[in-house]
Amino acid sequence: MTETRIEKAYELAKERCAELGVDAEGAIAAADNVPLSIHCWQGDDVGGFERAGAALSGGGIQATGNYPGKARDPAELRADLEEVLRDVPGAKRVNLHASYGEFGGKAIDRDAIEGSHFAGWMEWAKRAGVRLDFNATLFSHPLAADGYTLSHRDPKVRAFWIEHTKRARRIAAAMGKAQGGACVHNLWIADGAKDSPVDRAGYRGRLLESLDAIYAESFPERELEDALEGKLFGIGSEAFVVGSHEFYLGYAATRKKFVTLDMGHYHPTESVADKISSVLPFVPGVLLHVSRGVRWDSDHVVTLTDELGELCRELVRSGQLSRVRVGLDYFDASINRVGAWAIGARSARKALLAAYLEPAAALLAADSGNDGFARLALLEEAKTLPWCAVWDEYCRRSGTAVDSAFIASVKAYERGVLAKRK
Ligand code: RNT
Ligand code: ZN
């Protein structure tokens, strides 16, 4: 598509939006402003840098595929991230896991990580113009191999993971301080059982104690935002997940923490969009893990699904975005990883833009007037409004490839960089 055609199509789309009371310019500006926290782990299948060739192991999550070109060290991962940042318009952050520290070839165990291991990331983030978010890593480790960490029966194992998570929070707070804006620290653990445990209460009691020990250290809100992520089930934890949604919701509500809602972590007919207004009255904030589960919590690349549309519309409609952090969480090793990464982030941004282009005033009028017919008719019309022309113009202005050119730009990166990694 030529630049002039994009601009012409946009002018017409803008008029069409205005007829419905929608300000297309305002929508672009608003969508552009929502920070998307791009997860580092799509670039290397959740491997991390603790040992050369480290791979995701256990924890009930799985990256499948063996497409060539995966990032093998911090420099490669950062180069790939820079390509993704170029492909995605709007405000961005980068989300790190503790296993992505730079340990200089030394075996630094999880209970010994320090801020210095992330200094390289902090310098890079500053140069790249992004802020960082952070996660303790309580999987892919011998002391997590039997399926329990913070709820383990053995106090020594619990102590190890408490120490790790405390350190991860300290590192996150240091990042927040250095970058002049809170770093979100998310805690997800895989603790659970393949088959029916008997002492469910015992595990949950121990998790509660571990969490209280971890969060005893407090940091200013402007440096650190704590979030906890529950889950329904995982591979190997089909019958029991210690950190369930209800457990963390109660914890977050009583301890004033953010609750993390991952789109793959609920029964398939449950709507994460619907949960936002249900939990926000009781917790300081919500961290979203934008993902796409196919049949299970499979972490497929995010695409423009109805669920994603509903989620973004709810974010915009609720007017509560200031209390929501938007993170991405998917990993696909079966296709070009950089392309997969960028598709998901672009689709998240697209869905946000489309949500801001909704004829909000007309919809609200129908809603408050109890006019169910007009509301449904408008909702249907909104789906086919020419918002794609607004997306193209937004990409053009932000110097990002429009959809038709995006494939070529990713392929060029593959030829120039990824294909040379043997
Ligand atoms: C796992 C959780 C968690 C992880 C990342 C890597 O089911 O969704 O967020 O995907 O921590
Ligand atoms: Zn998640």
Side-chain angles (χ1 to χ4, degrees):
M1 246 195 319
T2 62
E3 295 242 332
T4 36
R5 270 172 62 198
I6 292 172
E7 290 176 73
K8 268 193 206 160
Y10 173 64
E11 284 310 315
L12 292 174
K14 192 161 101 176
E15 282 171 27
R16 180 78 185 89
C17 290
E19 281 170 16
L20 285 161
V22 177
D23 166 20
E25 289 292 332
I28 292 178
D32 190 63
N33 225 347
V34 181
L36 278 182
S37 186
I38 303 197
H39 55 314
C40 72
W41 52 92
Q42 161 60 36
D44 73 334
D45 318 337
V46 209
F49 302 133
E50 291 170 314
R51 304 167 302 274
L56 170 64
S57 80
I61 53 177
Q62 209 170 313
T64 50
N66 55 1
Y67 196 84
K70 100 167 160 192
R72 296 162 299 184
D73 56 46
E76 290 184 352
L77 193 65
R78 284 176 199 144
D80 293 359
L81 264 166
E82 283 166 19
E83 174 59 26
V84 175
L85 296 176
R86 276 192 288 277
D87 286 335
V88 183
K92 288 163 294 258
R93 306 171 63 92
V94 166
N95 192 9
L96 295 177
H97 243 287
S99 49
Y100 287 77
E102 290 172 88
F103 305 108
K106 288 196 213 80
I108 304 288
D109 209 347
R110 301 266 173 95
D111 62 347
I113 54 163
E114 281 175 13
S116 60
H117 302 131
F118 296 88
W121 278 110
M122 287 161 74
E123 279 157 30
W124 171 81
K126 201 168 176 190
R127 260 184 284 121
V130 293
R131 286 178 174 168
L132 296 171
D133 293 316
F134 202 63
N135 304 257
T137 309
L138 291 89
F139 51 84
S140 300
H141 189 280
L143 285 181
D146 67 1
Y148 294 97
T149 59
L150 292 174
S151 71
H152 206 284
R153 279 203 185 81
D154 182 345
K156 286 200 289 297
V157 176
R158 291 203 302 281
F160 176 88
W161 291 115
I162 290 170
E163 180 61 24
H164 169 67
T165 313
K166 280 184 170 176
R167 284 170 179 257
R169 286 182 73 238
R170 269 177 227 146
I171 293 167
M175 286 173 172
K177 192 171 187 179
Q179 67 198 9
C183 168
V184 181
H185 178 268
N186 182 50
L187 178 64
W188 170 75
I189 62 171
D191 293 31
K194 180 185 173 85
D195 228 327
S196 312
V198 175
D199 187 17
R200 290 176 189 255
Y203 286 108
R204 293 200 167 117
R206 287 189 293 273
L207 176 55
L208 184 60
E209 267 180 33
S210 295
L211 293 178
D212 282 345
I214 288 165
Y215 295 110
E217 190 170 356
S218 68
F219 298 91
E221 266 167 53
R222 60 176 188 280
E223 292 171 12
L224 179 68
E225 289 174 341
D226 282 304
L228 297 108
E229 180 179 13
K231 180 162 170 161
L232 182 63
F233 81 95
I235 299 177
S237 64
E238 289 85 353
F240 177 53
V241 169
V242 185
S244 61
H245 175 63
E246 291 75 6
F247 180 90
Y248 286 131
L249 186 57
Y251 193 82
T254 52
R255 271 68 169 177
K256 303 288 167 239
K257 304 287 178 203
F258 279 50
V259 75
T260 303
L261 304 175
D262 183 308
M263 291 173 79
H265 286 198
Y266 299 90
H267 288 283
T269 57
E270 276 184 83
S271 157
V272 168
D274 183 57
K275 295 185 190 299
I276 293 171
S277 58
S278 305
V279 307
L280 272 181
F282 307 105
V283 295
V286 161
L287 167 64
L288 291 172
H289 270 189
V290 179
S291 193
R292 178 167 60 102
V294 176
R295 302 189 185 278
W296 69 289
D297 179 32
S298 59
D299 290 294
H300 275 65
V301 177
V302 165
T303 56
L304 214 52
T305 57
D306 287 349
E307 288 77 16
L308 179 63
E310 275 301 318
L311 182 70
C312 292
R313 285 190 290 275
E314 180 55 32
L315 287 181
V316 173
R317 290 173 185 170
S318 70
Q320 301 257 46
L321 247 164
S322 63
R323 290 169 59 206
V324 178
R325 310 286 170 260
V326 187
L328 306 174
D329 186 9
Y330 50 85
F331 29 98
D332 190 333
S334 73
I335 58 176
N336 178 317
R337 289 175 187 76
V338 170
W341 221 338
I343 288 172
R346 285 171 71 96
S347 292
R349 182 74 68 202
K350 256 188 221 176
L352 281 167
L353 177 66
Y356 277 110
L357 287 165
E358 193 175 60
L363 277 165
L364 260 183
D367 207 20
S368 52
N370 249 337
D371 189 346
F373 158 68
R375 184 182 58 201
L376 193 57
L378 261 173
L379 284 170
E380 283 302 278
E381 185 176 357
K383 288 179 186 167
T384 51
L385 286 177
W387 64 269
C388 319
V390 183
W391 166 254
D392 285 341
E393 171 65 4
Y394 170 41
C395 288
R396 187 193 70 79
R397 285 187 197 174
S398 45
T400 315
V402 293
D403 286 358
S404 52
F406 161 64
I407 299 175
S409 81
V410 170
K411 293 232 177 216
Y413 186 75
E414 178 164 33
R415 275 193 307 276
V417 181
L418 303 178
K420 295 185 176 137
R421 295 179 190 162
K422 292 287 179 247

